[in-house]
Amino acid sequence: MFDSRSFDAHESVTYFSDAASGLRGIVAIHSTRLGPAIGGCRAWFYDNDEAALQDALRLSRGMSYKNAVAGLPMGGGKAVIIREPGKAVTEAQFEAFGRIVQQLNGRYITAEDVGVSVTDMGYVARNTSFVSGLHHEGAAVGGDPSPKTAYGVYCGILAAVQARLSTRNLKGLSVAVQGLGSVGRHLCGYLHEAGVKLVVADINAAACEAAKQKFGATVVSVDEILFQDVDVVAPCALGAILNEQSIPKILAPIIAGGANNQLATLEDGQRLHDRHVLYAPDYVINAGGIICATAEYLHTGNEKEVWDRVAGIGKTLAEIFSESTAKDTPTNVVADALALRLIEKSNIQ
Ligand code: NAD
């Protein structure tokens, strides 16, 4: 593991299994320098354990950077649950996962990610208090982080459109949304309200049909969505979709979406920059959910303050875009340097 390509001085990596429920997975804690490591739990299918490890390592590092740039007093971690083909993660497995999180004794705080719902987090919470993204009654902050993630992405798209197309009016612009899950469908809602023409794709045909009915979206195949002749491509599914093969075929001047780990490698940021495609660094634009989950966990801020903070993602991105232009440096490099400065500046150890 220490020689693995995604290992980045992670503080700890825990492999877990629960024989009774058949649960298996990994918790990677990248850094607790800024505070306890917070990051979602992803329940996904992996070709092998190595692929799951790579995902956990990359995602947890991304969380350290995300939390730092979002100004949160939190470190970065991530959990992956390895799903068995054709099977859903059971209530008993989520309960077992709660016991694992509890054993980490607050060094890692979990929440939702791909394949995990608010209801599932409720099962996790039966066995641990180190959990966020739980169902809340009334005006309390928290619950499903996805609407806030989507709103942050929407604010980021506005900033990118301003930087590249010199307008803040989205009416009449076109956006291609890849993935219509929790984040993608909420994003479609915000964009539709702003008068955007939507092009969408998902492996789930029902999700596409719903977007067609609700937002008048044009449905295209999953193989074509990234290469649409639109103003913005918003990846909201899985990672590594921006790579040596896909980048030369991208026609849109802006890539701004909610998916984690969009760049397959660091060099792909340079490839986009060279092609004059403005890329909104994923962990900056998709921080809305973790801003909400952190406020819920730490009991800081009311709903309005959280929404305002999420809207601030647009300003952070505008600064990254300006610096990228001024220094002729890819946006992902500017963002990484900012994150590292913020983490290293911290004297909390
Ligand atoms: P989700 O599981 O609700 O939705 C993912 C969607 O992508 C599903 O509808 C799935 O069918 C679709 N999909 C999978 N493979 C696809 C493909 N090849 N082409 C098109 N669609 C495909 O997950 P989510 O919570 O919406 O998360 C989406 C992305 O955003 C993930 O990368 C996640 O890590 C990231 N993210 C989510 C949040 C959050 O608050 N949920 C926060 C930050 C980042």
Side-chain angles (χ1 to χ4, degrees):
M1 192 203 59
F2 297 112
D3 296 328
S4 147
R5 66 191 140 88
S6 305
F7 181 71
D8 178 50
H10 286 68
E11 288 180 15
S12 69
V13 177
T14 306
Y15 292 79
F16 57 80
S17 71
D18 176 68
S21 66
L23 174 75
R24 287 191 311 134
I26 301 169
V27 176
I29 296 179
H30 176 254
S31 167
T32 56
R33 196 157 163 153
L34 292 179
I38 192 168
C41 167
R42 174 172 291 192
W44 198 242
F45 308 96
Y46 292 96
D47 288 343
N48 48 53
D49 297 351
E50 175 61 21
L53 172 67
Q54 294 303 324
D55 214 21
L57 291 175
R58 287 194 77 200
L59 288 165
S60 57
R61 174 178 177 268
M63 289 311 302
S64 295
Y65 285 25
K66 183 185 308 200
N67 296 338
V69 173
L72 301 173
M74 308 303 274
K78 199 91 181 182
V80 300
I81 289 178
I82 301 169
R83 284 182 66 175
E84 285 180 55
K87 287 194 186 166
V89 183
T90 64
E91 186 172 333
Q93 287 176 325
F94 279 115
E95 285 182 343
F97 175 63
R99 285 192 289 276
I100 306 294
V101 172
Q102 186 63 23
Q103 281 166 13
L104 292 168
N105 203 21
R107 290 186 65 240
Y108 168 66
I109 294 127
T110 198
E112 293 87 352
D113 191 56
V114 176
V116 178
S117 68
V118 177
T119 305
D120 299 331
M121 272 303 133
Y123 304 144
V124 173
R126 289 176 184 160
N127 289 323
T128 184
S129 52
F130 303 119
V131 54
S132 192
L134 300 173
H135 180 68
H136 277 260
E137 299 294 342
V141 169
D144 180 5
S146 312
K148 297 205 173 69
T149 302
Y151 183 60
V153 173
Y154 171 73
C155 295
I157 288 176
L158 276 174
V161 164
Q162 168 83 65
R164 183 52 47 96
L165 306 176
S166 304
T167 175
R168 278 191 78 77
N169 187 1
L170 297 185
K171 197 171 165 53
L173 296 189
S174 50
V175 178
V177 180
Q178 180 191 44
L180 297 166
S182 313
V183 176
R185 67 171 183 271
H186 281 109
L187 176 63
C188 284
Y190 290 122
L191 293 171
H192 177 67
E193 231 172 84
V196 166
K197 286 182 271 187
L198 291 166
V199 183
V200 300
D202 196 295
I203 49 174
N204 177 348
C208 293
E209 187 54 32
K212 189 171 158 186
Q213 298 297 332
K214 211 167 165 191
F215 309 122
T218 305
V219 178
V220 298
S221 87
V222 291
D223 298 332
E224 292 169 6
I225 188 74
L226 294 176
F227 315 122
Q228 296 297 303
D229 190 4
V230 289
D231 297 295
V232 181
V233 167
C236 296
L238 295 177
I241 35 89
L242 303 174
N243 51 49
E244 211 173 345
Q245 288 74 40
S246 65
I247 290 171
K249 296 192 272 176
I250 284 170
L251 300 176
I254 295 168
I255 296 188
N260 278 311
N261 289 344
Q262 291 173 35
L263 300 174
T265 65
L266 203 62
E267 294 74 44
D268 293 310
Q270 183 70 51
R271 285 192 182 97
L272 289 168
H273 186 73
D274 292 346
R275 294 199 66 230
H276 203 54
V277 176
L278 183 63
Y279 167 66
D282 45 16
Y283 61 77
V284 182
I285 194 169
N286 71 15
I290 206 69
I291 290 172
C292 176
T294 299
E296 174 184 337
Y297 182 74
L298 296 178
H299 304 289
T300 49
N302 58 33
E303 268 288 301
K304 174 166 184 327
E305 284 161 359
V306 170
W307 284 108
D308 287 350
R309 198 154 189 184
V310 174
I313 288 173
K315 185 168 169 284
T316 307
L317 280 169
E319 287 165 6
I320 290 171
F321 297 151
S322 302
E323 190 177 331
S324 161
T325 306
K327 294 186 175 164
D328 191 17
T329 303
T331 52
N332 61 310
V333 174
V334 172
D336 284 1
L338 171 63
L340 281 173
R341 275 200 306 279
L342 291 165
I343 293 169
E344 275 155 20
K345 200 172 84 179
S346 152
N347 50 17
I348 311 163
Q349 189 60 289

